[in-house]
Amino acid sequence: MKLFKPFNLDSFLGEAYILGASKVTATDSDYIHIIETNDGITWAPNPQPYSCVVASPKKESKLKGLKSFIAYQLTPSLNNIQVSRRYKHFDWLHERLVEKFCIIPIPPLPDKQISGRYEEQFIERRRLQLQSFVSRVSNHPILSRSDVWLHFLTCTDAKRWKSGKRKAEKDEVIGAAIFSVVQVPEKALDPLQLDSQTEAFGRFVQSFDTAVRTMQSNFAEQVKRQQGPYKRDYQRIGQSFRTLSTAMELLETAPLTRALAHTADTYDQIALLCEDQPRLDFEPMGDLLHDYRGLLASFPDIITVHKGALQKRRELERSATEGKTESNVVIRAQQRTDVVSYTLLAEMSYFHQERVRDYNAAAKIFLQEQIAYYQKIVDHLQSTLSQYKDV
Amino acid sequence: MKLFKPFNLDSFLGEAYILGASKVTATDSDYIHIIETNDGITWAPNPQPYSCVVASPKKESKLKGLKSFIAYQLTPSLNNIQVSRRYKHFDWLHERLVEKFCIIPIPPLPDKQISGRYEEQFIERRRLQLQSFVSRVSNHPILSRSDVWLHFLTCTDAKRWKSGKRKAEKDEVIGAAIFSVVQVPEKALDPLQLDSQTEAFGRFVQSFDTAVRTMQSNFAEQVKRQQGPYKRDYQRIGQSFRTLSTAMELLETAPLTRALAHTADTYDQIALLCEDQPRLDFEPMGDLLHDYRGLLASFPDIITVHKGALQKRRELERSATEGKTESNVVIRAQQRTDVVSYTLLAEMSYFHQERVRDYNAAAKIFLQEQIAYYQKIVDHLQSTLSQYKDV
């Protein structure tokens, strides 16, 4: 899992930004807007929302077949022009996003996997995981509009691709510098209220993270159980009926021996259902949990950044009452810490909205697939039962 | 399990019966009739068929409460008069039946169990097992008419009970002597055809026995799996949802947190269903298998008795061609081995008829209960799914 790059609070944020010493040159597209609505403080929505489909992973090769790799085809609804991207391109992009948006948890990429990279099922699952990453970035009001992301999503020309990469790697509006381009409402925030709000959020993040880990390990265990012991158990029930049918067939092929053989086949089919089923219920939920582990792993650092800003502000306020700091310095520092707080509040609000949507949808899909699974077992058994005649 | 008492072939059957030296005094009720119908050679059916219900096991005590035991209430449709019998009475009866009917596999009693003898579930399961024993004896054309069985089934008077027991224990028409009271059709049997028929039956008994053992151990294992690991797995899925709900409840009690808690409850309920389910499907099938292991265990001895009789007959036939044995001795021996063969054929035919009926019914019940189980899971999950609102 891609973890959040630690953000050096003291040397950079504390000194440079809060004290107003950091200077960056920003273009219009760099600016980030935070607004207050009936739902509270949120990111300004993307005026041109779009989606992107990740499709048909293809095995490609270069250097005359010496190197082979999987390329995924991305088609954004922005322009409907397909681009081909490899895992290493995603990896490069992810690094840029983490570097640039220290205040936003970047959705994690799927785990790297070396062995069995070209197996069909693995490739399809990775496609789904990349689709999830791409959808999360495309849906995010800020990430979806960033230059580096749009470059990744739309560039089809090899030359422009290279120059765009170089430009992104030289981007100065990264790390704490991002705060310089954040536009927030005029209203000053209440530091006491903020303290209790962010503290509650910190506690929530911690127990949510524990819950996600618990569920992730339980669900991964369940996948193994179904593909191993459960499958074998169903096969063993099938084997019982088959042995019985074979023994009875020594005497005659009667309706009973045929029905018993049919029952054996049915349990073998159920064993295969059971083995395949996790692909439809436990694994998709596992992918969501993987995303959330990545997202949640970023928050402690973000909360620390925010705490550090508030602490610096308090130091300056104390220093001002002692006459050691000028009041206009304090006022500017207060405005700047409010920017930090506004970004945290906006991202908290976005995170909650996504969390409810994601878990609601995931639980529904999980239950629907579980229902379909048990229903299939019922149907198989029903049709087997009808093989037994009245004797 | 009660095993069949070995039958001493050489000293008793070989000498006494086949040579016509054994003399028994039999009453009318002792006689056993074998007939030939369109279905082949069978026991003459019981002209007064009846059934018997084993009900309401009661904990009783004697010696001022020093000794306590479970008494089962038997009500035969013969007279609708209830009798009370303990396991030790069944055990005594079983010994008598095994002793008397060396040619008929006596249905086994449930296994003795020392610990937990008074647990409700154990008592109920034992009642079902005894019901099965009683039904098998009551249905059997020969066993159902025997004096000792009818005494067990109908005697309500303590004094008559004791004298009846003494009489049964002194019964002379036991072991190979039973052949003296078997009335068979006139038609002589073809020894060559018998050989191939009984050999095929022997092979069938062997592989049926293996199938029953395989199924019995597989099903017993499945019971343990469902009451242990499966149950815990469902609980673990429940726990995953509960932890998630609890974490989210730190922020708000929203429809999602309630739906997640409901999902947790549902998987806990499924865990309990899973634990209880074997009582309805795997255990009843296990009881049938227990019965058949007992029945099948008797056949090898019965087949050996039959083989021994045919061998003795061949010896006499050879000896007659050499002029060492008189032809009327051979003719009588041939008639007597035919009696042995007729009993085997009658019981083989009865056994097959019961086998098809039993396994057909048991497989149907098993499948019906499996369907009901998976259907209950579907219903639980359906009602949980309806707790999730559109976000």
Side-chain angles (χ1 to χ4, degrees), chain A residues 297-315:
Chain A
S298 304
F299 274 117
D301 282 338
I302 295 175
I303 291 167
T304 305
V305 165
H306 182 253
K307 261 195 191 146
L310 287 191
Q311 202 176 318
K312 191 77 204 164
R313 167 183 176 152
R314 278 186 196 119
E315 272 172 34

Side-chain angles (χ1 to χ4, degrees), chain B residues 189-382:
Chain B
L189 294 166
D190 173 4
L192 283 179
Q193 200 192 326
L194 261 175
D195 270 354
S196 78
Q197 227 177 328
T198 54
E199 219 169 275
F201 184 68
R203 280 197 305 273
F204 161 71
V205 162
Q206 216 167 22
S207 63
F208 191 18
D209 187 59
T210 305
V212 165
R213 281 163 196 265
T214 303
M215 198 171 210
Q216 204 179 21
S217 86
N218 287 353
F219 274 41
E221 180 61 23
Q222 191 62 24
V223 173
K224 276 193 231 150
R225 307 262 303 129
Q226 290 196 196
Q227 293 175 343
Y230 279 37
K231 181 192 172 191
R232 284 196 293 276
D233 287 346
Y234 281 121
Q235 285 172 334
R236 209 159 47 186
I237 298 171
Q239 186 217 345
S240 303
F241 282 100
R242 178 151 295 113
T243 317
L244 206 56
S245 172
T246 308
M248 292 191 181
E249 212 156 18
L250 282 182
L251 291 177
E252 55 183 355
T253 307
L256 177 61
T257 58
R258 281 193 299 270
L260 290 170
H262 195 278
T263 310
D265 291 345
T266 296
Y267 278 95
D268 282 349
Q269 282 158 13
I270 294 175
L272 295 179
L273 271 185
C274 176
E275 181 184 32
D276 187 48
Q277 181 59 20
R279 193 174 52 78
L280 303 168
D281 48 30
F282 288 97
E283 285 187 357
M285 182 64 105
D287 287 343
L288 178 75
L289 298 168
H290 173 272
D291 281 6
Y292 271 80
R293 257 186 89 171
L295 295 171
L296 287 165
S298 303
F299 274 118
D301 282 337
I302 295 174
I303 291 168
T304 305
V305 165
H306 182 253
K307 262 196 190 147
L310 288 191
Q311 202 175 319
K312 191 76 203 165
R313 170 185 175 150
R314 279 186 195 121
E315 272 172 32
L316 290 170
E317 285 167 347
R318 218 176 4 251
S319 164
T321 58
E322 290 164 8
K324 290 177 192 164
T325 302
E326 284 176 46
S327 65
N328 62 339
V329 172
V330 175
I331 289 165
R332 278 208 299 278
Q334 285 169 337
Q335 285 165 346
R336 290 198 186 92
T337 54
D338 269 2
V339 168
V340 176
S341 298
Y342 268 112
T343 63
L344 177 58
L345 293 176
E347 186 55 23
M348 272 166 57
S349 142
Y350 181 73
F351 181 75
H352 286 318
Q353 172 198 318
E354 290 294 293
R355 167 183 64 84
V356 173
R357 199 180 57 85
D358 282 344
Y359 280 84
N360 205 70
K364 276 167 96 167
I365 289 170
F366 175 78
L367 288 170
Q368 279 158 357
E369 290 296 342
Q370 284 263 291
I371 290 166
Y373 168 61
Y374 290 111
Q375 188 61 57
K376 270 185 246 166
I377 296 181
V378 167
D379 296 345
H380 273 292
L381 294 173
Q382 287 278 20

Side-chain angles (χ1 to χ4, degrees), chain B residues 108-123:
Chain B
L109 289 176
D111 291 333
K112 272 195 181 128
Q113 184 180 325
I114 305 307
S115 72
R117 271 201 301 156
Y118 299 129
E119 280 167 32
E120 215 172 293
Q121 284 215 343
F122 166 72
I123 292 170

Side-chain angles (χ1 to χ4, degrees), chain B residues 79 82-85 150-162 164:
Chain B
N79 57 7
Q82 183 175 294
V83 295
S84 178
R85 297 287 179 257
L150 290 169
H151 178 62
F152 174 84
L153 209 56
T154 57
C155 185
T156 50
D157 179 75
K159 221 169 168 182
R160 284 208 304 113
W161 173 249
K162 281 203 175 163

Side-chain angles (χ1 to χ4, degrees), chain A residues 285-304:
Chain A
M285 182 64 103
D287 286 343
L288 177 75
L289 297 167
H290 173 273
D291 281 6
Y292 271 79
R293 260 187 87 173
L295 294 172
L296 286 164
S298 304
F299 274 117
D301 282 338
I302 295 175
I303 291 167
T304 305

Side-chain angles (χ1 to χ4, degrees), chain A residues 314-325:
Chain A
R314 278 186 196 119
E315 272 172 34
L316 290 171
E317 285 167 348
R318 214 169 15 246
S319 163
T321 57
E322 290 162 10
K324 290 180 192 159
T325 301

